[in-house]
Amino acid sequence: MEEHASEVGRSLIKQLACCNKTTRERALRLLLKSWLPSQSQTLPDDDAKKLWKGLFYCMWHSDKPLVQSDLVDRLSSLLLSLHLPLSLQYLSTFLLTMRREWSGIDALRLDKFYLLIRRFVSKFFSLLKNNSWDPELVQRLMDVLDEGTFSAQDKFQGNGVNYHIATVFLEELRPFLPLKPQLLEVLLKPFISAMGRAHDKVLLGKIRSGVFDVLLKMGKRLLEVRKGGDEVDSSDEVVVLGTVALVMGFSGTFYEVGSSVDCVQGSRKVLFALHSEFLKVEKDAANSGFEFVIPEEEEDVPELVPLGPAEVVGNGEVSRKGVKGYVDGGESKKKKRKKKKGDASDLANAAENDKENVASENGGNSNDESAVLLNETVIANLQRQFEKVAEEAGLDDGVASACDSPEAKSGAGTVSKKRKRTKSLKGKRARDSEVDGEESALAKSGEKSAKKVRFSMKNNLVWKPHSPLPPQSLRLPPSATPRGSALKKGVPPGPIREMPLPTKKPKLKKARKVIKGVAPSVKRLKKLKSRAA
């Protein structure tokens, strides 16, 4: 069974480098979604190298930025979905393949492979976060990264991979900060040790400019901000990275690496320069009197929702009768109910539920007899009292009352299903009274009057043949009217002339002029005749 699965995987790997996009896409989909996630153990080294050889050329053939970005996301996110031992092998083989093939990448395809490396570094930190930043796993993954890049013993010309990882490492680590100092020490240790033993001056400069110069700059800026008394958010880049620079004690670490026997002589000058700069910043931080501490990692705690008062039934069960209106931050959510015509029991239950909802929204219990129900009759009485007060105060008749405002809004905009149902039920209960009938008529008239009418000025200013002429003050002179003195006041505009459409005359082809010459035989005859004469 395992041999058959390996044969299937090998056949899919061959199709990854196909020039046909459909074949390539089908093989990639089967490989990433079914075959690789089903592997519970690590692959043989040869199969893993063949797999990444095919994935590399699949990336090589991908064209257009969106297609390339989608493929990069699919390849890098696979690091999170595989089993942990297989993820480690997947990462190490990726680094090996990139170093092996780096010298053959042309300048036009370089950007998409830069993006692939960046996304893999980001998913590298996501994998650590998913495993709760386990110290053993952090050490293990950093060893894989170090052995595949800075401490690689192969003879491949893949220094560009090391340069780009040193450039993007701190940028991709930034969203996952703050972390514990012990974890930061493990994460940054390969870069410090690489500076001590690297013979490549370009790599030395990339690590310094991409990691430690950025930390040093943020540390100095954080000191200036604190001394100036400005307030900065704790999640700001200056605070997060500046605190790391001031707390981690990089000055002593650089001095130890620079003064060790194994340190390369060309790197000592850079290491001691970093030591002196970090030492100066750390002394300034100690003399400033401010306390700099790396905040501990915040754990995601689910928010607890207050349920409000609840009643306990005799069996120890909790009744939800008084809980309505408090769940989900005070917004009561009601389930949809299917209504059938002619079912009186459903109407009765809905009416009881409406009473409970009104009582709970007003802060009272549904069993309390003193609770006031705002039905149509109460609203009508309040409206009459308000109109009397308005007449005494001398208000205009056109002013809308406070009682009319909710209904006018409901006619103009959308209303929730709960309010529609309560209005229909209240209207059915209040049909017996004449006052309620008048109020419903007023509400309907208000709804009809709330319709908006769109008015277009273009139709009134432009004359059309089937409509009468606009007034003299709005007329526009037609295009056929004479110009200059004829447009003075009192001169009527000229008639509108209908011009025939221009017709294109067919172009006649000119015949070529052929110069007729005398044939050579005729010339000979003329010469002979002239000689004979």
Side-chain angles (χ1 to χ4, degrees):
M1 194 70 180
E2 293 180 357
E3 293 179 357
H4 177 68
S6 62
E7 289 178 1
V8 172
R10 288 168 187 168
S11 63
L12 291 175
I13 289 169
K14 289 180 181 178
Q15 296 175 9
L16 290 175
C18 181
C19 297
N20 188 5
K21 183 182 178 182
T22 307
T23 306
R24 207 166 57 239
E25 183 66 25
R26 183 172 60 250
L28 186 67
R29 184 169 58 251
L30 292 173
L31 195 69
L32 299 184
K33 289 188 176 181
S34 59
W35 188 75
L36 261 181
S38 64
Q39 302 296 319
S40 57
Q41 297 178 355
T42 57
L43 301 175
D45 291 340
D46 293 339
D47 289 350
K49 291 177 182 178
K50 290 176 182 178
L51 169 65
W52 257 111
K53 184 86 169 180
L55 293 176
F56 176 84
Y57 282 105
C58 184
M59 188 71 196
W60 178 282
H61 286 301
S62 66
D63 198 7
K64 303 298 167 83
L66 292 177
V67 178
Q68 294 168 5
S69 179
D70 178 63
L71 180 58
V72 165
D73 289 335
R74 293 167 67 183
L75 295 180
S76 59
S77 60
L78 193 63
L79 195 65
L80 306 176
S81 60
L82 299 177
H83 297 286
L84 190 58
L86 191 58
S87 295
L88 295 176
Q89 186 187 28
Y90 185 74
L91 177 63
S92 62
T93 314
F94 160 71
L95 296 173
L96 176 64
T97 306
M98 293 304 298
R99 284 180 55 82
R100 185 183 66 236
E101 305 292 340
W102 190 260
S103 59
I105 301 175
D106 56 305
L108 299 176
R109 292 183 173 91
L110 200 57
D111 289 339
K112 59 183 177 183
F113 287 103
Y114 276 149
L115 179 63
L116 182 64
I117 294 173
R118 179 183 285 272
R119 294 286 172 83
F120 258 88
V121 173
S122 177
K123 298 299 180 183
F124 174 85
F125 295 124
S126 299
L127 179 62
L128 293 175
K129 185 179 179 181
N130 292 346
N131 290 274
S132 303
W133 296 96
D134 184 19
E136 295 182 359
L137 182 62
V138 173
Q139 183 65 53
R140 193 174 172 187
L141 279 170
M142 287 307 299
D143 290 341
V144 170
L145 184 64
D146 188 22
E147 291 172 1
T149 53
F150 305 129
S151 302
Q153 300 298 326
D154 51 44
K155 297 181 180 179
F156 301 128
Q157 299 296 324
N159 293 333
V161 180
N162 304 348
Y163 301 158
H164 195 60
I165 288 177
T167 304
V168 305
F169 188 84
L170 192 62
E171 295 178 9
E172 300 300 325
L173 179 61
R174 168 64 190 89
F176 300 91
L177 295 176
L179 295 174
K180 296 179 181 179
Q182 296 82 3
L183 296 175
L184 288 173
E185 185 178 355
V186 175
L187 292 173
L188 296 176
K189 183 179 178 181
F191 296 92
I192 299 174
S193 59
M195 292 180 73
R197 65 173 184 270
H199 295 275
D200 190 357
K201 293 184 179 180
V202 179
L203 177 61
L204 187 67
K206 291 288 184 181
I207 295 176
R208 177 176 179 175
S209 61
V211 181
F212 298 107
D213 280 352
V214 176
L215 292 174
L216 189 64
K217 180 181 177 181
M218 292 300 170
K220 293 179 180 178
R221 190 177 297 177
L222 179 60
L223 279 175
E224 293 176 358
V225 169
R226 289 292 176 85
K227 288 179 182 179
D230 299 333
E231 294 183 359
V232 186
D233 189 12
S234 60
S235 61
D236 191 68
E237 185 179 13
V238 177
V239 178
V240 175
L241 296 179
T243 308
V244 172
L246 299 176
V247 172
M248 291 299 296
F250 288 116
S251 60
T253 307
F254 285 123
Y255 184 79
E256 291 178 2
V257 175
S259 58
S260 64
V261 181
D262 300 331
C263 181
V264 178
Q265 186 64 30
S267 303
R268 294 184 192 273
K269 184 177 181 180
V270 177
L271 291 170
F272 285 135
L274 286 173
H275 157 70
S276 60
E277 291 179 359
F278 272 101
L279 184 62
K280 182 180 179 181
V281 173
E282 290 170 5
K283 286 183 178 179
D284 292 343
N287 296 331
S288 63
F290 297 104
E291 185 178 0
F292 299 96
V293 180
I294 297 178
E296 295 183 358
E297 184 182 359
E298 297 180 359
E299 297 181 358
D300 296 334
V301 181
E303 296 181 359
L304 300 177
V305 180
L307 295 178
E311 297 180 2
V312 181
V313 191
N315 297 331
E317 299 177 355
V318 180
S319 67
R320 297 285 179 178
K321 197 176 275 188
V323 178
K324 294 180 180 179
Y326 293 94
V327 183
D328 295 335
E331 295 179 1
S332 59
K333 294 181 180 179
K334 206 166 185 181
K335 296 181 179 178
K336 297 179 181 178
R337 297 185 178 181
K338 294 181 180 179
K339 293 185 178 182
K340 296 181 180 180
K341 295 181 180 180
D343 195 352
S345 60
D346 292 344
L347 292 175
N349 294 332
E352 291 178 0
N353 292 332
D354 293 333
K355 290 180 181 179
E356 292 176 0
N357 290 334
V358 173
S360 61
E361 288 175 0
N362 292 331
N365 196 357
S366 61
N367 297 328
D368 192 2
E369 297 179 357
S370 62
V372 179
L373 295 176
L374 294 176
N375 53 14
E376 294 289 339
T377 56
V378 176
I379 294 174
N381 293 332
L382 291 173
Q383 187 176 1
R384 288 196 196 93
Q385 293 178 8
F386 179 79
E387 289 174 355
K388 290 179 181 179
V389 174
E391 289 177 0
E392 293 176 358
L395 294 175
D396 295 334
D397 296 336
V399 179
S401 63
C403 299
D404 292 335
S405 58
E407 295 181 4
K409 288 181 181 178
S410 65
T414 58
V415 186
S416 62
K417 293 183 178 179
K418 174 182 174 182
R419 297 179 69 183
K420 280 184 179 180
R421 189 176 65 254
T422 53
K423 282 186 179 181
S424 62
L425 293 173
K426 290 175 183 177
K428 287 181 181 180
R429 292 197 302 268
R431 280 178 182 174
D432 298 335
S433 60
E434 296 178 357
V435 179
D436 296 337
E438 293 176 359
E439 293 298 321
S440 61
L442 288 172
K444 289 180 180 178
S445 64
E447 291 176 0
K448 290 181 180 179
S449 63
K451 293 182 180 179
K452 295 182 179 180
V453 180
R454 294 185 178 179
F455 182 74
S456 178
M457 291 292 291
K458 292 182 179 180
N459 295 332
N460 296 333
L461 295 180
V462 180
W463 179 78
K464 296 180 180 179
H466 61 270
S467 62
L469 286 173
Q472 185 70 26
S473 59
L474 296 178
R475 281 188 198 174
L476 299 175
S479 60
T481 54
R483 301 174 183 274
S485 61
L487 291 177
K488 292 180 180 179
K489 189 174 181 181
V491 179
I496 298 175
R497 299 176 184 175
E498 294 182 358
M499 301 295 293
L501 295 174
T503 57
K504 293 183 179 180
K505 296 180 180 180
K507 293 182 180 180
L508 299 175
K509 293 184 179 180
K510 295 180 179 180
R512 293 182 180 179
K513 294 180 180 180
V514 180
I515 301 172
K516 295 182 180 180
V518 183
S521 59
V522 177
K523 288 182 179 180
R524 289 175 189 169
L525 289 173
K526 288 182 178 179
K527 286 183 181 180
L528 292 173
K529 288 180 180 180
S530 61
R531 288 177 184 176

